[in-house]
Amino acid sequence: MSTALRIEDLTVHYDHFTALDKVSLEIQQHTTLGLVGESGSGKSTLARVIAGLISPVQGQVLLGSQNLGKKRSREQHKKIQMIFQNPDSSFNPKHTIRQILAEALLFHQIVDRSHVDRRCKELLASVRMDESALGRYPHEFSGGQRQRIAIARALSVEPSILIADEPTSALDVSVQLSILELFNKLKSELNLTMLFISHDLGVIHAISDNVAVMRQGRLVEVNTKEQFFTRPSTAYSRELLSAVPKMPTSQLSGGFL
């Protein structure tokens, strides 16, 4: 299996605080890497560096064999898309869903203007939403529906890497399940590679092929999902797992919550 994304020695400083300390990591093509760690461990900073939203003081991000550098082209930005915990902050509340999706399609020249409406309908269908949503505004939808719209917008530019930063943490359990099922469906259908960040180890177990653990800006473990949940290699990972109550196996696919 080839490497879809590789990061080497990423270092980020905020004033006198080191958010990332020489982090190196690989994500294999068409797999999902779950990223875990306590608040402030550097997970979101790492995601933002990979997405090109933050420039590191040291290190590099490689998409395949291509070094993305500090100034990415429009084509390079297309390839890595990010979905946030709260999609509202990235939606213009005065724009309809049609306008929100069309803006990305036209800016990145994905389709001709005459085909925008058809593509918007296809995108909504891909996230299991009816085309009637196109004429409505973000505030008219539930949290789970807005997250689906955010996923549709990310997919509109046809990325190869999808980064999801706590996308289910604000949702109730039943909605979480449907969103996780959607991510797994899209990964399979579109051959996506994903970085999925969550503090919820049940979610990580349901979505991930491999697991990476961060602590205080450093990567302390990378393992397969099975090895991480049954034979973690570090004391810190064992602490994370021991803090999670074991519950019936029916709530999340994979049997861990």
Side-chain angles (χ1 to χ4, degrees):
M1 187 177 295
S2 60
T3 300
L5 186 78
R6 185 167 75 253
I7 59 176
E8 298 178 347
D9 294 327
L10 285 184
T11 300
V12 173
H13 299 309
Y14 295 137
D15 295 325
H16 300 294
F17 172 70
T18 300
L20 295 180
D21 187 5
K22 297 181 180 179
V23 174
S24 297
L25 181 66
E26 292 186 2
I27 306 178
Q28 301 305 307
Q29 201 166 31
H30 311 323
T31 67
T32 298
L33 177 70
L35 185 61
V36 302
E38 60 195 0
S39 296
S41 62
K43 304 186 302 298
S44 293
T45 298
L46 177 59
R48 284 163 171 74
V49 173
I50 294 172
L53 303 178
I54 297 174
S55 294
V57 297
Q58 175 183 313
Q60 58 186 359
V61 178
L62 295 98
L63 184 64
S65 60
Q66 183 182 31
N67 185 351
L68 297 181
K70 292 187 177 181
K71 292 186 177 179
R72 300 184 186 183
S73 67
R74 182 181 300 185
E75 187 64 27
Q76 289 172 332
H77 273 295
K78 281 170 49 179
K79 293 300 182 182
I80 303 178
Q81 290 294 303
M82 190 161 174
I83 298 162
F84 299 91
Q85 176 181 349
N86 179 13
D88 295 354
S89 60
S90 60
F91 289 155
N92 186 331
K94 296 181 179 180
H95 283 185
T96 63
I97 304 310
R98 177 183 281 105
Q99 290 172 306
I100 288 168
L101 296 178
E103 182 179 38
L105 291 168
L106 293 172
F107 178 80
H108 288 285
Q109 302 175 347
I110 302 299
V111 296
D112 184 81
R113 187 174 291 273
S114 62
H115 297 140
V116 165
D117 200 59
R118 182 181 69 185
R119 183 57 182 149
C120 286
K121 293 175 182 178
E122 291 172 349
L123 287 166
L124 284 183
S126 74
V127 296
R128 301 173 183 170
M129 289 190 69
D130 190 84
E131 65 184 55
S132 62
L134 288 173
R136 298 165 63 188
Y137 294 87
H139 74 270
E140 299 181 64
F141 296 93
S142 68
Q145 289 172 322
R146 288 195 295 272
Q147 199 59 277
R148 288 175 184 271
I149 293 165
I151 295 169
R153 181 175 59 181
L155 295 177
S156 69
V157 299
E158 301 172 355
S160 57
I161 308 285
L162 202 59
I163 302 172
D165 189 1
E166 299 276 8
T168 63
S169 63
L171 307 176
D172 65 38
V173 172
S174 62
V175 179
Q176 280 188 25
L177 284 169
S178 66
I179 295 296
L180 292 175
E181 289 171 357
L182 176 62
F183 273 115
N184 278 326
K185 178 181 85 76
L186 293 170
K187 173 192 169 185
S188 176
E189 293 178 353
L190 303 177
N191 291 321
L192 293 170
T193 301
M194 295 198 298
L195 174 65
F196 200 101
I197 300 169
S198 180
H199 68 279
D200 187 328
L201 292 181
V203 168
I204 291 296
H205 191 276
I207 197 75
S208 303
D209 299 297
N210 301 296
V211 180
V213 184
M214 292 195 68
R215 185 184 192 189
Q216 297 178 348
R218 295 182 177 182
L219 199 66
V220 297
E221 178 171 357
V222 181
N223 231 324
T224 65
K225 176 176 70 175
E226 290 76 13
Q227 289 173 322
F228 171 75
F229 281 98
T230 60
R231 300 182 303 280
S233 62
T234 69
Y236 178 66
S237 296
R238 290 190 288 273
E239 288 175 15
L240 291 177
L241 288 165
S242 67
V244 179
K246 302 300 186 294
M247 294 175 65
T249 61
S250 60
Q251 293 192 42
L252 288 177
S253 59
F256 183 93
L257 185 62

